[in-house]
Amino acid sequence: LAKTTQPISMDSYEGQEVNITCSHNNIATNDYITWYQQFPSQGPRFIIQGYKTKVTNEVASLFIPADRKSSTLSLPRVSLSDTAVYYCLVGDNAGNMLTFGGGTRLMVKP
Amino acid sequence: AAGVIQSPRHLIKEKRETATLKCYPIPRHDTVYWYQQGPGQDPQFLISFYEKMQSDKGSIPDRFSAQQFSDYHSELNMSSLELGDSALYFCASSNLIEQYFGPGTRLTVT
């Protein structure tokens, strides 16, 4: 499984755009990049998944450069309710278990 | 939309007792995963089932066992409980694209 590295924590203010970058230097050809969000005492929640270039949904965008050795989760105009831990995960899309490691704790301030 | 159901939501047991956690996946999801999350830690994969057969095994202690039944619900059985087993236990089900997590069972071992 490809190892991921993300910042331990980030601070932001309401209304700002937040970009969280994840490094995954040894990503395999058949690996996808998936981001999950977790609030305290709740189960992780799927945010977005991508393989290359850019993916956008109603809550976030995911930017993946051509070499796929990193990815950036972009949260537009964050609110206080976006305060959570964000996990970047890399793995194939075959329904395998998720390996969580070192998420980014985002604190959104008023 | 139906979500993953876990029961009980809270459980208090004494050392050396046994506990059974139940998980009811989203209808038509055929894969169930169990994760353990200790205080201040990332979720750790324990075990998964696909079509009632064990598909992957993670850091699950020998004191724990699990199974998936014909109706696709799953049970995690924990014996000889230790203080270190106190954690949130999440069940997730999958449609092979993303995993949907339940609300978790908070187990406290005293």
Side-chain angles (χ1 to χ4, degrees):
Chain A
L1 293 171
K3 178 179 169 57
T4 61
T5 303
Q6 354 174 181
I8 294 174
S9 64
M10 294 181 69
D11 288 343
S12 183
Y13 290 93
E14 282 189 293
Q16 288 187 334
E17 177 185 76
V18 171
N19 296 306
I20 306 174
T21 297
C22 177
S23 297
H24 27 80
N25 290 319
N26 58 341
I27 188 170
T29 302
N30 59 342
D31 282 343
Y32 284 75
I33 300 150
T34 310
W35 287 79
Y36 279 78
Q37 174 194 56
Q38 187 178 28
F39 299 112
S41 298
Q42 294 186 26
R45 184 174 72 100
F46 173 89
I47 300 175
I48 198 166
Q49 183 181 78
Y51 184 80
K52 62 179 180 180
T53 64
K54 177 184 175 182
V55 179
T56 296
N57 62 23
E58 62 276 8
V59 297
S61 294
L62 179 59
F63 299 91
I64 306 169
D67 66 4
R68 302 200 330 120
K69 293 183 182 300
S70 67
S71 59
T72 299
L73 174 72
S74 181
L75 304 172
R77 298 179 298 282
V78 294
S79 63
L80 296 177
S81 63
D82 292 317
T83 293
V85 178
Y86 292 82
Y87 291 98
C88 164
L89 298 100
V90 173
D92 65 38
N93 211 22
N96 290 335
M97 77 285 193
L98 299 176
T99 300
F100 291 89
T104 297
R105 189 173 300 276
L106 173 65
M107 173 69 74
V108 180
K109 304 174 182 178
Chain B
V4 175
I5 298 171
Q6 293 188 244
S7 68
R9 294 292 310 277
H10 301 273
L11 191 58
I12 300 174
K13 291 286 186 178
E14 295 186 354
K15 283 192 304 183
R16 293 179 288 278
E17 286 192 317
T18 61
T20 297
L21 279 53
K22 296 184 179 182
C23 170
Y24 297 86
I26 293 172
R28 292 181 294 282
H29 282 193
D30 50 20
T31 307
V32 169
Y33 311 79
W34 286 96
Y35 294 85
Q36 176 193 57
Q37 186 170 27
Q41 298 182 359
D42 303 317
Q44 296 294 314
F45 169 73
L46 292 178
I47 196 167
S48 63
F49 294 87
Y50 170 70
E51 285 290 345
K52 292 155 281 183
M53 298 288 291
Q54 180 182 308
S55 54
D56 271 311
K57 195 171 183 179
S59 51
I60 183 169
D62 292 340
R63 299 177 289 108
F64 295 5
S65 65
Q67 57 182 323
Q68 186 178 31
F69 295 85
S70 57
D71 64 351
Y72 293 98
H73 95 272
S74 179
E75 295 184 3
L76 178 65
N77 299 293
M78 311 159 71
S79 63
S80 303
L81 287 169
E82 303 174 355
L83 296 179
D85 296 328
S86 294
L88 265 171
Y89 290 84
F90 292 107
C91 169
S93 70
S94 171
N95 57 5
L96 297 186
I97 301 297
E98 61 184 88
Q99 291 187 22
Y100 296 81
F101 283 75
T105 294
R106 182 176 295 280
L107 172 67
T108 302
V109 181
T110 62

